[in-house]
């Protein structure tokens, strides 16, 4: 068995690790730490939840502390960690602080949505490790309040998300501000062609590691699809939360607008709810998360991007109010429940518009998901599928024209549907 000791990490780091209660390195740590300690560039396929943050933070701290220069000059930024979202940036910096707490290294985090001046003050005092989101980092670079010319380590965390969020140009601009001679680490949940292209430009003969993808959701998560008409989803959700007396529910929507609208509607239905997404101020997001964790707010409505990196798991209920455009996001979403040996329930409210999305998800998880109609919420077979704009990739006309032919229980156009309003009083009805 590989132990943390066997990596040759300093006693300060080993102490911090054992204070966290970690007894053995996770697979991504076992593979990444030795390469990073050797000074190699690294391209790692690993998702959130695999322990990837410690996987790059521990060796980074080790290398920085061993070569710490005591020149008496102000500290220069020696390690830059880029993340797609503010939440992830905050959490990564928290990890840096946690693992580095017995070392004399300084770190800070900068992201948008909050005042820039306190960040400028912190940067002026000098930091060794800077965690940042791309936009705000470029603001600082533009104002010359950050100097990236001494960076020795560059980490791109959740690089696929950064590309999804349209940060490619920002990343390239940041890369141009960094010294050519440096160690670069790229972490991504997927290795798409775009990611490989990015890596070719940024990394030098990187070591490649791939940690098994979690395309198989935990056995502890029960998954169910409730077919329902698009305009009845919200009534069904309110009813489920109320009648089942759910106390803590994470609900996913595809867009910020839908998250806002749903959280307002739920509040009108007497269910305390907050929305969390990229357009909210950092203070509002932090407050919403805190209130959800303490139980003051029963429902947190989130978009995929906002939920990414959020330190909330072990939830009893996750609801897909809308299925994600990217099937991998489904697995990621439902991974919020059923952790650490607890049972969890993942419910998806699916309307006729989303049948292609559902098919893609079922082929990814390699199984048909059970479809149960809730009495009183049977689907109306006369309702036709409508276009779902794909916010991520812009135009996807091809999928849409194909898509509009879908019917529940039948994928061919114009044919009748096996509607669920059968006379028998069966409470549960399978759709396929
Ligand atoms: P990450 O994938 O970096 O977001 O980490 C997921 C979770 O795993 C975090 O809550 C970490 O604190 C935890 N973690 C990281 N490394 C270990 C380890 N070796 N043993 C147990 N838990 C860990």
């Amino acid at each position: 068995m590989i132990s943390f000791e066997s990596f040759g990490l300093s006693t300060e780091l080993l102490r911090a690790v054992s204070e966290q209660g970690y007894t053995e390195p996770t697979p991504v740590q076992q593979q990444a730490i030795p390469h990073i300690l050797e000074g190699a560039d690294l391209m790692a396929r690993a998702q959130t939840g695999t322990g990837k943050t410690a996987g790059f933070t521990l060796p980074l701290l080790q290398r920085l502390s061993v070569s710490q220069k005591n020149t008496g000059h102000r500290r220069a930024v020696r390690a830059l960690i880029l993340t797609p979202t503010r939440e992830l940036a905050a959490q990564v910096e928290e990890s840096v602080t946690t693992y580095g707490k017995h070392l004399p290294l300084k770190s800070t985090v900068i992201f948008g949505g909050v005042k820039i001046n306190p960040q400028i003050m912190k940067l002026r005092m000098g930091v060794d490790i800077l965690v940042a989101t791309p936009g705000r980092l470029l603001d600082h670079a533009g104002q010359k309040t950050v100097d990236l010319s001494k960076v020795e380590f560059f980490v791109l965390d959740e690089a696929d998300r950064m590309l999804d969020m349209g940060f490619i140009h920002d990343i390239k601009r940041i890369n141009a501000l960094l010294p050519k001679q440096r160690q670069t680490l790229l972490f991504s949940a997927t290795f798409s062609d775009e990611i490989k292209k990015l890596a070719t430009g940024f990394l030098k003969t990187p070591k490649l590691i791939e940690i098994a993808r979690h395309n198989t959701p935990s056995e502890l998560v029960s998954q169910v699809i409730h077919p329902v008409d698009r305009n009845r989803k919200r009534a069904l959700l309110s009813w489920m939360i109320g009648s089942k007396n759910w106390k803590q529910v994470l609900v996913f929507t595809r867009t910020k607008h839908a998250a806002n609208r749903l959280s307002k509607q739920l509040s009108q239905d007497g269910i305390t709810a907050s929305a969390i997404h990229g357009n909210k101020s950092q203070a509002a997001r932090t407050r919403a998360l805190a209130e959800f964790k303490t139980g003051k707010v029963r429902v947190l409505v989130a978009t995929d991007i906002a939920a990414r990196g959020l330190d909330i798991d072990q939830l009893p209920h996750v609801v897909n109010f809308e299925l994600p455009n990217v099937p991998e996001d489904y697995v990621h979403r439902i991974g919020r429940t059923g952790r650490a040996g607890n049972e969890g329930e993942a419910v998806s409210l699916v309307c006729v518009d989303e049948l292609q999305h559902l098919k893609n998800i079922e082929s990814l998880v390699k199984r048909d998901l059970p479809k149960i109609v809730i009495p009183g919420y049977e689907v109306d077979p006369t309702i036709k599928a409508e276009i779902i704009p794909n916010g991520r990739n812009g135009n996807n006309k091809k999928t849409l024209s194909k898509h509009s032919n879908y019917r529940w229980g039948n994928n061919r156009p114009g044919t009748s549907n096996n509607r669920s309003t059968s006379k028998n009083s069966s409470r549960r009805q399978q759709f396929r």
Side-chain angles (χ1 to χ4, degrees):
M1 192 182 81
I2 300 174
S3 65
F4 279 107
E5 285 76 12
S6 67
F7 296 132
L9 295 172
S10 66
T11 48
E12 290 86 352
L13 286 171
L14 290 175
R15 217 168 108 205
V17 164
S18 89
E19 281 165 4
Q20 286 306 298
Y22 306 163
T23 50
E24 59 177 294
T26 65
V28 67
Q29 292 162 3
Q30 290 180 19
Q31 294 188 47
I33 293 175
H35 289 315
I36 303 174
L37 288 175
E38 278 169 14
D41 278 7
L42 181 78
M43 183 168 170
R45 193 174 80 179
Q47 292 178 329
T48 297
T50 53
K52 66 180 167 64
T53 316
F56 64 75
T57 306
L58 289 170
L60 198 83
L61 289 167
Q62 169 87 8
R63 284 176 62 80
L64 287 170
S65 62
V66 166
S67 62
Q68 193 157 24
K69 294 159 194 148
N70 262 328
T71 55
H73 289 114
R74 191 167 65 83
R75 289 158 195 264
V77 176
R78 297 175 58 202
L80 172 65
I81 304 171
L82 271 193
T83 76
T85 65
R86 304 158 186 185
E87 280 81 9
L88 186 63
Q91 279 173 33
V92 168
E93 205 260 338
E94 213 179 293
S95 295
V96 171
T97 312
T98 304
Y99 303 132
K101 70 193 221 202
H102 304 300
L103 293 171
L105 293 165
K106 280 197 178 178
S107 62
T108 196
V109 59
I110 57 176
F111 46 69
V114 293
K115 288 194 186 118
I116 200 164
N117 282 342
Q119 297 177 349
I120 294 176
M121 300 297 285
K122 282 202 183 130
L123 288 168
R124 212 175 269 162
M125 279 152 60
V127 292
D128 304 285
I129 303 151
L130 179 62
V131 188
T133 52
R136 181 54 67 93
L137 179 64
L138 283 171
D139 290 345
H140 280 281
Q143 295 186 28
K144 304 227 177 319
T145 48
V146 68
D147 173 14
L148 300 175
S149 67
K150 306 280 186 307
V151 168
E152 299 162 41
F153 301 94
F154 180 34
V155 183
L156 288 140
D157 195 11
E158 302 203 348
D160 51 340
R161 277 294 147 149
M162 288 201 258
L163 297 190
D164 280 351
M165 291 171 75
F167 285 140
I168 182 70
H169 298 295
D170 286 356
I171 298 174
K172 284 184 177 162
R173 284 171 62 201
I174 292 164
N175 186 49
L177 300 171
L178 304 177
K180 293 266 172 299
Q181 193 62 38
R182 57 156 205 259
Q183 186 175 3
T184 308
L185 316 171
L186 181 149
F187 286 78
S188 176
T190 54
F191 277 175
S192 62
D193 289 345
E194 284 133 308
I195 289 289
K196 286 180 193 149
K197 212 168 124 197
L198 184 76
T200 316
F202 285 21
L203 280 72
K204 288 195 200 99
T205 52
K207 301 278 184 205
L208 212 70
I209 63 171
E210 300 195 44
I211 302 304
R213 288 168 73 161
H214 297 294
N215 284 350
T216 339
S218 158
E219 288 301 316
L220 291 163
V221 182
S222 72
Q223 301 170 64
V224 64
I225 306 294
H226 294 311
V228 59
D229 291 336
R230 101 176 56 81
N231 60 4
R232 302 207 63 210
K233 282 189 176 188
R234 167 243 170 156
L236 176 56
L237 178 63
S238 292
W239 178 79
M240 289 182 84
I241 294 170
S243 64
K244 293 171 187 259
N245 202 16
W246 288 346
K247 299 277 187 241
Q248 202 180 34
V249 199
L250 179 63
V251 178
F252 284 96
T253 59
R254 275 188 296 268
T255 64
K256 298 168 195 173
H257 177 65
N260 270 341
R261 195 177 48 194
L262 182 61
S263 100
K264 271 195 203 120
Q265 290 170 334
L266 288 171
S267 305
Q268 283 161 11
D269 288 346
I271 295 166
T272 48
S274 310
I276 185 160
H277 55 66
N279 281 4
K280 295 249 164 176
S281 72
Q282 188 55 36
R285 292 206 252 182
T286 309
R287 189 174 58 242
L289 186 59
E291 289 181 345
F292 182 62
K293 281 183 174 175
T294 58
K296 200 169 163 207
V297 164
R298 226 164 142 184
V299 181
L300 190 64
V301 190
T303 55
D304 291 285
I305 287 166
R308 184 96 171 180
L310 276 191
D311 180 23
I312 32 171
D313 52 18
Q314 299 181 25
L315 288 167
H317 309 285
V318 168
V319 176
N320 294 305
F321 187 76
E322 296 170 327
L323 289 181
N325 290 330
V326 179
E328 281 82 3
D329 282 345
Y330 172 83
V331 179
H332 198 259
R333 287 176 177 189
I334 72 167
R336 300 288 179 173
T337 182
R339 288 204 190 177
N342 294 316
E343 291 199 0
E345 189 178 19
V347 168
S348 302
L349 309 187
V350 179
C351 72
V352 68
D353 311 339
E354 300 170 299
L355 291 180
Q356 182 63 48
H357 289 59
L358 179 58
K359 251 179 101 179
N360 296 343
I361 289 165
E362 289 183 324
S363 78
L364 178 75
V365 302
K366 296 191 182 66
R367 56 182 278 211
D368 276 357
L369 299 172
K371 295 160 193 81
I372 297 172
V373 174
I374 304 288
Y377 292 90
E378 293 84 0
V379 295
D380 175 351
T382 63
I383 296 178
K384 288 207 173 135
E386 280 182 12
I387 286 168
I388 299 174
N390 184 342
R392 286 251 176 92
N393 304 320
N395 193 348
N396 64 342
K397 275 193 186 122
K398 227 168 129 196
T399 331
L400 300 178
S401 52
K402 199 169 70 185
H403 194 172
S404 56
N405 291 333
Y406 277 96
R407 301 276 186 282
W408 268 112
N410 194 326
N411 289 344
R412 268 175 292 120
T415 38
S416 69
N417 190 351
N418 53 345
R419 209 182 165 191
S420 63
T421 47
S422 62
K423 293 282 180 304
N424 76 40
S425 62
S426 148
R427 304 233 111 214
R428 303 180 146 205
Q429 193 159 359
Q430 297 290 320
F431 240 80
R432 269 187 212 162

